[in-house]
Amino acid sequence: MEGSKGKAKPKGKAAAAANESVLKQKSPAEFFSENKNIAGFDNPGKSLYTTVRELVENALDSAESIAELPIIEVTIEEISRSTFNAMIGLVDRERVDAALYDDFESEKAKEKRLAKEARDQEKLAKALAAGKKIKESNAKTGRGRGDTSFFKVTCKDNGKGMSHEDIPNMLGRVLSGTKYGLKQTRGKFGLGAKMALIWSKMSTGLPIDIWSSTKGQDFISFCKLDLNIHLNIPNIHIHEKRPNPEGWRGAELQVTIEGNWTTYRSKIINYMRQMGVITPYAEFRFSYIGPTPDKNLTIRFSRRTDVMPPVPEETKYHPSAVDLLLIKRLISESKEIHLQPFLQKEFVSINKAYAERLIGEMGPEFQPKMLVKDLTGEQIVRLHQLFRQAKFDDPSGQCLSPAGEYNLRLGIMKELSPDLVATYEGSAQVFEGHPFIVEAGVSLGGKDVKPGVNIFRFANRIPLLFEQGGDVVTRTAMKRINWNSYKINQQQDKIGVFVSIVSTKIPFKGTGKEYIGDDISEIAVAVKSALQNCCIQLKAKLVRQQQAKERQQRKRNLSKYIPDVSRAIYDVLEIVSGPVAQRPRYGPEYQDLLEKVAKREVTEATLKQKLTSHVQQVDSEMALEFATQSGMVDTARENVYLRALDSKRHFAVELHNPVAVFKLFAGI
Amino acid sequence: MADKRKAREVEDDDDIPGTSAEGPKQQAKAALAFKKKLKPDVKILASVTKFCQAAKDTEPETRTLADLNLANSCKEVVDLNTGSVVFEIEKSILAIAKSILSGNGFGYLVPSRSSANQLYVPELDRIVLKDKASFRQFANISSVRKTAITTRILQLVHQLCTKQIHVTKRDLFYTDVKLFQEQGQSDTILDDVSCMLGCTRSSLNVVASEKGVVVGRLVFVEDGDRIDCTKMGVGGKAIPPNIDKVQSMESDALFILLVEKDAAFMRLAEDRFYNRFPCVIITAKGQPDVATRLFLRKMKTDLKLPVLGLVDSDPYGLKILSVYMSGSKNMSYDSSNLTTPDIKWLGVRPSDLDKYKIPEQCRLPMSDQDIKTGKDLLNEDFIKKDKNWVKELELMVKTKEKAEIQALSSFGFQYLSEVYLPLKLQQEDWI
């Protein structure tokens, strides 16, 4: 262990140095501990949720980066206090160290707990021993933290994996976006799994375990590490190679954190479900192992398609989307030395001619050949101002990777099994120099859907679950869509509204970056139009459905009146057929009829029976007509995805048919 | 609409608020000025008699639809005796039964009563029904209900006619509430049935409950009882729903006064206006029902008396006059029996508001809906045929003011019977 520590240190320093030149000096971990609510770690429950989502999103990115259909397994194992103690007990040395802090802190904590419970969170950050202490005080008070407990969260993927040497640095150091370009990314903060690592450090102090293997690698890297928060370097416990007999590729992360399953159970399941909607090409296996077996839970969100959206491309900034700092950063990082190629290469929507025009516009002190590094602060301000005022072409949506109408549709059908679904993908739009694409789906009916409007929001292909009220999608669906005009009842129908927005920059609002504000008219308009397009499709289907329903009810509605009519007619017939002498005045054609009525050969029952068969005949005629009009199908056809089997299977017989080939397994 | 009118009448019973202390004096003065203009009753009577005589002398137009040779053929119904109605129904039922037994289902050919199928014939001065008809099939989801109701109504009417009894529309509805669901449906089908059979609704032995009242110099025999309408107290005689039972009308009246609503009718009845100026006063209390229209027509044709209309100065008053004169669209198939041509508009006319110095607080501003109705009326044929009417209506729409008959009460409750009407008669101020 000593050895591994020594090995990690120089690397850490080098990375830290690189950071310093670009970024602020404050340790990202420190910043996080002060502002953990903005990163989604408000309380233990939400921390558990955020940990899961960070790990899942990392795993998805990893698989997608090598164009592999993701298979992701998430396991949350609840750890009882005794087990947790035993786990800490294993790490003897550290516990001795911690014990000193423990006693010192506990006195202070006890006082503060009486005054204010919220302060507890801060104490957590101090040391791993806090966990032990709190357990004790909990035992005494029996309240305060409610169901807070410890969880081992494991996330296994079939992604790219990490190379053996890179593992400590990739996970053990909080790097803050040194990303050079601009790209549609899943993460909201660019911190990914490192957040979960910090949280584990803060709440339990237990190190994280990583198993990883890259393609064609004959060993599995195993690494156990934790984080030195203040120095922002990994603290490696174990780093070794283990055999990989099955040729496994991917990564598995295991963190032990404090959390709360009871209160965030539905959120986590909801998240997985919505992830299933937006990523139908991935397979998720989620299991929860509780303290008692009866609480165990396993959900499988199976793959429904093998069409994957392309990996988002990195793109350059649009001139209207940069600020002064960013221009300075681009200048310092750019490979281009001269001003004109710098403008041309580092930004989208500026070609050579336009770069020259821009330089000419800024005055004689600017020359195409001048060195960008020589630009003074004032000159950069001038450039920035011009970027703001000048007119540029909109950036294209080429760099974006929406889920795709096909996938969204499959996802909705897979997870909700609605009666009807319509999807729409809008064209790329622009907001403050960032391109965005809005995709929408509207479903009706389905399982586990409440009556009324159910909103499902996605930003850059991850679900948004919190702070729904102020979101642009919620506002649009509730206030600006006139559901009635699409023959949809806003209160009674089970409406699912799915809106996915992808962009190089999602304009999040709120502390936790949990919703998209309603104040950006470009986005609001795009969302509304996408939803309206879905509704128009649905309306057509609903009208057709209505007709089909009417057709089914026609016979019943017609038959309902047969008794009334027969009785009324027979009543008159009976009177008319009474006096024989009167009969001739009705004309010769009715004599036979009157005779039969008088002889009781024609009765009310005869009329009823004749009418019933007539209604039946008309109904079948109408059904035929309806079928020819609507092309014999009542519901729209849909593509079926069948899972491909591995090629190692042996097949005995092939049954050929114009549509498909059936292969029968050979008995093994 | 009847309810709305009623509500308005109730309001009018209260004293008109906001009249300043000065107001009543000035109004009294004005009222007095008009009263002074009145000549002795004898002189007024003389001129009215002349008018009445003129009306009696003019040969009433007896042109019928058949005489006109119109381009499009029209549907009209006639009064049939119960025997013929029974026979007609039996024929239809037999045809239906035959069709059912041959396995073809059945249906009815029902003349359309929609407004697209209505035609105003200026020569006759009434609305008639064109010949468009639709076939209502039993085996059709949109018409099955109506067809079923029609069959049931046919049977019920058959029963009524064979038993020679009369029931009200309400009675008819209650015989099969489960099928009819609401009275509106059975009423509509009843009109369809009379259209289909080509007879008037009264021939079907179904009547509307009585609504209209008559009082004044009229004597008639109803089902063998002699009725003297001068001895009917202030309430008047309810107009019998069944016009067939009204016979041998006699009268020494000089004119018929048609009043839009109850309140004015009561005033005139209580003041025994018909004794001062021999006349018959009739009202249907708002929108006229079939019985009142039939009764008015019978009076007009039997007694050859001129008819003077006293209605509110608003678009609805005019509409009511139009229903008496040209018929309603709903009953246009029977317009020949229901309309009373040549009703003179006595008042209250928009020009009267200024002429009779009706105080501001008694005039009401017209609502947007009122103005719209007024403008629509300007396009109606029955208004357009008379320039004077057009002028009055234009004035109403322009001033955007309306007034009810009760506005005259601001000069005293009896102003209507003691000053306004005599003065109108004296000046022969009708159009």
Side-chain angles (χ1 to χ4, degrees):
Chain A
M1 221 187 268
E2 291 283 353
S4 63
K5 245 183 192 174
K7 209 167 98 189
K9 259 177 186 168
K11 275 191 183 176
K13 263 183 190 165
N19 277 355
E20 274 161 21
S21 64
V22 177
L23 295 160
K24 287 181 261 179
Q25 292 288 347
K26 190 167 198 170
S27 158
E30 276 171 356
F31 177 78
F32 165 69
S33 65
E34 281 164 25
N35 302 287
K36 53 189 189 311
N37 61 320
I38 66 160
F41 287 78
D42 313 36
N43 52 57
K46 197 162 179 202
S47 300
L48 179 65
Y49 161 77
T50 309
T51 302
V52 169
R53 70 177 283 175
E54 293 292 1
L55 292 177
V56 166
E57 284 156 24
N58 253 12
L60 273 177
D61 282 340
S62 167
E64 281 174 21
S65 68
I66 53 165
E68 178 74 26
L69 292 170
I71 300 171
I72 291 158
E73 268 175 75
V74 179
T75 312
I76 298 178
E77 190 183 346
E78 191 160 346
I79 300 168
S80 67
R81 302 199 188 290
S82 55
T83 322
F84 180 70
N85 273 346
M87 285 167 77
I88 300 166
L90 289 173
V91 193
D92 276 324
R93 207 177 50 138
E94 289 198 24
R95 198 187 66 159
V96 172
D97 250 349
L100 287 168
Y101 283 100
D102 186 351
D103 289 345
F104 178 70
E105 284 298 316
S106 73
E107 290 301 318
K108 207 173 169 186
K110 268 180 190 168
E111 287 166 33
K112 284 186 178 173
R113 268 180 66 83
L114 291 171
K116 209 176 184 182
E117 280 202 29
R119 298 294 290 267
D120 275 334
Q121 300 274 355
E122 285 182 28
K123 247 128 279 150
L124 269 175
K126 291 294 178 186
L128 78 165
K132 193 175 155 194
K133 189 213 74 64
I134 281 152
K135 179 206 59 130
E136 283 161 358
S137 57
N138 257 6
K140 280 174 202 158
T141 57
R143 46 194 284 244
R145 287 186 166 253
D147 289 59
T148 297
S149 172
F150 300 99
F151 297 89
K152 194 197 278 176
V153 181
T154 315
C155 178
K156 186 176 179 182
D157 65 51
N158 62 340
K160 185 163 79 170
M162 291 168 273
S163 77
H164 186 76
E165 283 71 31
D166 287 347
I167 293 172
N169 278 333
M170 281 180 90
L171 289 154
R173 195 193 307 274
V174 180
L175 300 171
S176 299
T178 46
K179 250 184 244 146
Y180 182 54
L182 187 66
K183 183 177 170 181
Q184 171 195 329
T185 49
R186 275 214 171 81
K188 289 193 291 188
F189 301 94
L191 291 174
K194 283 144 265 178
M195 293 286 239
L197 186 50
I198 297 171
W199 174 245
S200 78
K201 176 88 179 167
M202 286 170 77
S203 58
T204 66
L206 286 173
I208 72 166
D209 295 338
I210 304 123
W211 291 264
S212 169
S213 181
T214 55
K215 198 182 176 191
Q217 201 169 280
D218 57 358
F219 60 88
I220 295 173
S221 316
F222 174 73
C223 190
K224 196 187 228 349
L225 57 82
D226 72 351
L227 191 70
N228 185 327
I229 288 186
H230 302 293
L231 296 177
N232 194 20
I233 51 165
N235 179 15
I236 299 167
H237 299 229
I238 306 167
H239 192 192
E240 62 186 26
K241 292 178 180 177
R242 291 178 179 183
N244 185 14
E246 286 171 15
W248 173 71
R249 187 208 58 224
E252 181 174 349
L253 266 80
Q254 191 173 76
V255 290
T256 310
I257 54 161
E258 188 184 346
N260 186 336
W261 172 251
T262 344
T263 48
Y264 273 73
R265 178 178 179 276
S266 66
K267 286 283 181 194
I268 292 170
I269 291 171
N270 238 335
Y271 169 78
M272 295 303 293
R273 189 180 180 207
Q274 293 196 20
M275 209 61 185
V277 169
I278 199 75
T279 20
Y281 52 87
E283 168 148 347
F284 298 98
R285 295 171 200 153
F286 175 81
S287 45
Y288 165 75
I289 300 163
T292 49
D294 60 306
K295 290 199 173 156
N296 286 4
L297 177 79
T298 304
I299 312 172
R300 194 178 129 144
F301 302 88
S302 58
R303 176 175 300 144
R304 187 63 190 274
T305 168
D306 48 12
V307 176
M308 247 169 60
V311 177
E313 286 169 27
E314 216 169 81
T315 181
K316 308 287 186 208
Y317 283 92
H318 189 268
S320 56
V322 292
D323 54 32
L324 270 178
L325 261 177
L326 199 59
I327 297 175
K328 282 181 183 160
R329 207 185 91 197
L330 289 173
I331 288 172
S332 69
E333 289 173 358
S334 176
K335 286 185 219 115
E336 302 299 331
I337 307 161
H338 301 294
L339 181 58
Q340 183 242 309
F342 169 76
L343 291 179
Q344 195 185 325
K345 298 270 171 61
E346 295 296 332
F347 298 95
V348 292
S349 305
I350 300 180
N351 58 21
K352 193 179 174 199
Y354 212 78
E356 276 163 8
R357 276 179 70 189
L358 286 171
I359 293 166
E361 182 63 26
M362 284 187 289
E365 45 176 323
F366 291 89
Q367 294 301 323
K369 290 280 176 207
M370 73 189 289
L371 299 174
V372 272
K373 299 260 193 306
D374 288 352
L375 285 174
T376 63
E378 292 76 30
Q379 282 173 323
I380 292 172
V381 172
R382 177 82 189 96
L383 181 65
H384 179 231
Q385 283 174 354
L386 186 66
F387 276 176
R388 278 291 154 94
Q389 290 156 8
K391 192 172 68 189
F392 297 96
D393 287 343
D394 285 338
S396 77
Q398 290 285 316
C399 57
L400 298 178
S401 168
E405 225 183 305
Y406 174 76
N407 275 350
L408 183 63
R409 188 189 175 81
L410 281 179
I412 295 169
M413 293 200 297
K414 173 166 86 92
E415 292 306 324
L416 279 89
S417 336
D419 303 330
L420 281 179
V421 61
T423 49
Y424 178 79
E425 181 179 337
S427 56
Q429 308 278 312
V430 177
F431 148 69
E432 284 182 4
H434 293 280
F436 68 91
I437 293 176
V438 173
E439 294 167 291
V442 176
S443 72
L444 285 176
K447 61 176 185 193
D448 302 340
V449 187
K450 289 187 203 118
V453 178
N454 297 266
I455 312 262
F456 297 84
R457 300 172 291 144
F458 304 95
N460 279 354
R461 306 208 328 249
I462 55 168
L464 301 179
L465 294 185
F466 296 89
E467 299 188 54
Q468 180 171 291
D471 193 273
V472 59
V473 176
T474 315
R475 295 274 183 101
T476 306
M478 301 303 242
K479 303 252 160 68
R480 299 185 202 118
I481 300 284
N482 183 5
W483 296 97
N484 269 341
S485 63
Y486 303 104
K487 304 204 180 289
I488 298 170
N489 185 326
Q490 192 176 347
Q491 269 75 43
Q492 279 159 27
D493 287 336
K494 294 171 170 183
I495 311 169
V497 170
F498 304 81
V499 176
S500 160
I501 301 172
V502 292
S503 174
T504 46
K505 188 193 171 200
I506 300 276
F508 285 114
K509 280 273 162 71
T511 49
K513 285 193 164 189
E514 287 290 354
Y515 73 98
I516 300 167
D518 193 22
D519 50 354
I520 300 149
S521 61
E522 290 93 335
I523 292 183
V525 167
V527 167
K528 189 181 173 192
S529 120
L531 285 179
Q532 279 174 331
N533 266 296
C534 293
C535 289
I536 290 168
Q537 294 172 37
L538 279 185
K539 189 184 176 184
K541 288 183 187 173
L542 283 172
V543 167
R544 216 181 307 150
Q545 221 178 40
Q546 185 70 33
Q547 284 172 346
K549 210 173 174 183
E550 267 171 23
R551 186 175 63 79
Q552 281 164 0
Q553 286 180 348
R554 185 196 303 127
K555 209 167 106 186
R556 213 183 64 208
N557 280 339
L558 292 178
S559 308
K560 194 166 75 181
Y561 293 103
I562 291 177
D564 277 322
V565 168
S566 317
R567 197 176 315 124
I569 295 173
Y570 188 70
D571 223 63
V572 179
L573 283 182
E574 222 180 358
I575 297 169
V576 174
S577 67
V580 182
Q582 292 281 325
R583 280 186 209 163
R585 67 179 187 140
Y586 300 109
E589 68 264 41
Y590 297 121
Q591 295 312 310
D592 186 38
L593 169 64
L594 289 171
E595 185 72 21
K596 277 182 180 167
V597 173
K599 283 186 186 166
R600 303 226 156 253
E601 280 170 27
V602 167
T603 60
E604 197 181 317
T606 325
L607 292 172
K608 255 187 215 172
Q609 181 248 318
K610 284 279 180 188
L611 268 179
T612 311
S613 61
H614 176 67
V615 163
Q616 204 127 34
Q617 184 200 336
V618 169
D619 184 59
S620 50
E621 276 169 21
M622 295 286 276
L624 192 69
E625 195 182 319
F626 178 81
T628 34
Q629 269 175 4
S630 57
M632 304 296 279
V633 270
D634 287 348
T635 50
R637 281 168 205 235
E638 71 176 70
N639 294 324
V640 179
Y641 171 75
L642 299 172
R643 270 187 64 140
L645 288 160
D646 52 286
S647 52
K648 288 169 195 159
R649 288 270 193 181
H650 294 285
F651 300 105
V653 197
E654 287 190 1
L655 301 172
H656 287 267
N657 165 287
V659 191
V661 177
F662 292 96
K663 293 177 174 181
L664 299 185
F665 297 142
I668 304 162
Chain B
M1 199 173 126
D3 287 347
K4 207 170 130 195
R5 291 203 161 271
K6 229 175 250 171
R8 246 162 53 181
E9 277 179 30
V10 172
E11 280 168 27
D12 294 343
D13 286 347
D14 299 329
D15 280 346
I16 295 140
T19 323
S20 63
E22 293 266 273
K25 273 185 199 165
Q26 277 185 346
Q27 280 173 30
K29 239 191 213 169
L32 206 66
F34 285 118
K35 204 168 181 180
K36 276 182 186 161
K37 283 189 191 170
L38 275 178
K39 292 176 190 167
D41 285 358
V42 192
K43 281 197 174 174
I44 303 172
L45 276 172
S47 67
V48 176
T49 315
K50 227 163 61 193
F51 168 62
C52 169
Q53 202 52 50
K56 278 187 178 167
D57 287 347
T58 47
E59 199 51 39
E61 278 202 72
T62 49
R63 274 204 288 186
T64 61
L65 211 47
D67 302 335
L68 287 171
N69 276 328
L70 288 176
N72 20 8
S73 53
C74 297
K75 174 93 186 171
E76 274 204 309
V77 297
V78 286
D79 257 321
L80 290 179
N81 60 34
T82 47
S84 332
V85 173
V86 169
F87 186 60
E88 286 295 327
I89 294 174
E90 286 169 351
K91 273 203 298 191
S92 325
I93 294 285
L94 277 172
I96 286 166
K98 199 164 186 258
S99 168
I100 293 174
L101 290 176
S102 61
N104 294 326
F106 73 101
Y108 297 100
L109 190 68
V110 185
S112 158
R113 291 189 293 119
S114 70
S115 55
N117 202 32
Q118 314 271 359
L119 181 73
Y120 173 80
V121 182
E123 292 90 336
L124 302 173
D125 186 21
R126 58 184 166 88
I127 303 169
V128 295
L129 201 62
K130 290 193 274 186
D131 63 345
K132 210 175 88 189
S134 58
F135 191 68
R136 283 187 194 155
Q137 201 133 26
F138 180 76
N140 186 318
I141 203 73
S142 58
S143 56
V144 59
R145 204 178 140 64
K146 282 190 169 168
T147 311
I149 297 177
T150 311
T151 314
R152 183 81 171 118
I153 298 252
L154 276 176
Q155 184 237 324
L156 289 171
V157 169
H158 183 262
Q159 206 179 327
L160 289 177
C161 290
T162 40
K163 288 184 182 160
Q164 304 262 13
I165 47 166
H166 290 82
V167 296
T168 63
K169 294 200 282 186
R170 189 81 185 148
D171 280 332
L172 190 74
F173 163 65
Y174 271 114
T175 50
D176 199 343
V177 185
K178 212 177 144 196
L179 176 65
F180 299 151
Q181 287 177 1
E182 48 191 84
Q183 201 189 329
Q185 298 195 18
S186 59
D187 288 359
T188 313
I189 298 293
L190 190 67
D191 283 332
D192 285 339
V193 165
S194 45
C195 238
M196 222 170 68
L197 299 176
C199 64
T200 60
R201 200 176 69 194
S202 12
S203 331
L204 298 179
N205 282 14
V206 181
V207 295
S209 52
E210 48 201 41
K211 188 178 164 205
V213 215
V214 63
V215 76
R217 307 285 265 259
L218 178 71
V219 177
F220 63 90
V221 176
E222 182 190 356
D223 211 11
D225 298 344
R226 190 171 177 279
I227 312 278
D228 185 349
C229 293
T230 51
K231 297 187 169 62
M232 284 295 150
V234 283
K237 162 80 180 100
I239 293 174
N242 189 2
I243 198 77
D244 301 347
K245 302 199 170 166
V246 176
Q247 282 146 351
S248 38
M249 282 186 167
E250 286 167 42
S251 174
D252 64 342
L254 295 175
F255 58 94
I256 300 165
L257 187 59
L258 175 64
V259 181
E260 180 183 338
K261 46 189 176 175
D262 213 16
F265 179 87
M266 253 187 63
R267 178 83 271 119
L268 294 172
E270 197 176 48
D271 291 351
R272 308 282 165 166
F273 183 75
Y274 50 85
N275 284 339
R276 189 172 165 196
F277 301 100
C279 66
V280 182
I281 305 167
I282 184 171
T283 183
K285 303 176 185 171
Q287 276 289 354
D289 53 336
V290 170
T292 311
R293 282 150 69 185
L294 283 170
F295 194 84
L296 180 67
R297 183 180 164 82
K298 195 172 172 65
M299 276 203 291
K300 166 94 176 155
T301 45
D302 288 8
L303 305 173
K304 295 204 172 85
L305 291 175
V307 184
L308 299 177
L310 179 63
V311 295
D312 286 346
S313 170
D314 61 20
Y316 306 103
L318 266 184
K319 268 207 155 164
I320 285 170
L321 269 191
S322 88
V323 171
Y324 279 114
M325 289 172 73
S326 326
S328 66
K329 286 186 173 164
N330 195 34
M331 301 286 286
S332 59
Y333 60 91
D334 195 15
S335 63
S336 61
N337 295 314
L338 290 175
T339 56
T340 311
D342 198 27
I343 297 176
K344 300 288 181 203
W345 187 7
L346 182 73
V348 176
R349 299 204 304 270
S351 60
D352 289 352
L353 298 187
D354 285 340
K355 207 196 262 171
Y356 290 89
K357 299 202 169 58
I358 291 175
E360 280 299 325
Q361 60 266 46
C362 300
R363 305 181 189 185
L364 296 166
M366 282 165 80
S367 69
D368 291 347
Q369 185 59 39
D370 291 340
I371 293 168
K372 194 181 166 291
T373 317
K375 284 183 177 161
D376 289 348
L377 275 178
L378 273 173
N379 294 323
E380 295 275 354
D381 296 316
F382 79 92
I383 298 276
K384 280 201 275 193
K385 73 174 171 23
D386 194 325
K387 273 185 204 154
N388 290 320
W389 286 46
V390 175
K391 236 186 259 171
E392 291 285 357
L393 190 56
E394 276 173 347
L395 181 70
M396 185 197 299
V397 175
K398 207 181 93 192
T399 56
K400 292 181 179 144
E401 278 179 338
K402 59 180 182 183
E404 297 177 21
I405 306 174
Q406 278 67 46
L408 296 165
S409 304
S410 58
F411 299 114
F413 287 115
Q414 289 176 306
Y415 185 79
L416 173 70
S417 54
E418 288 184 352
V419 182
Y420 180 78
L421 285 178
L423 201 60
K424 278 269 181 189
L425 291 174
Q426 177 188 318
Q427 295 171 342
E428 299 184 32
D429 185 14
W430 51 72
I431 55 174

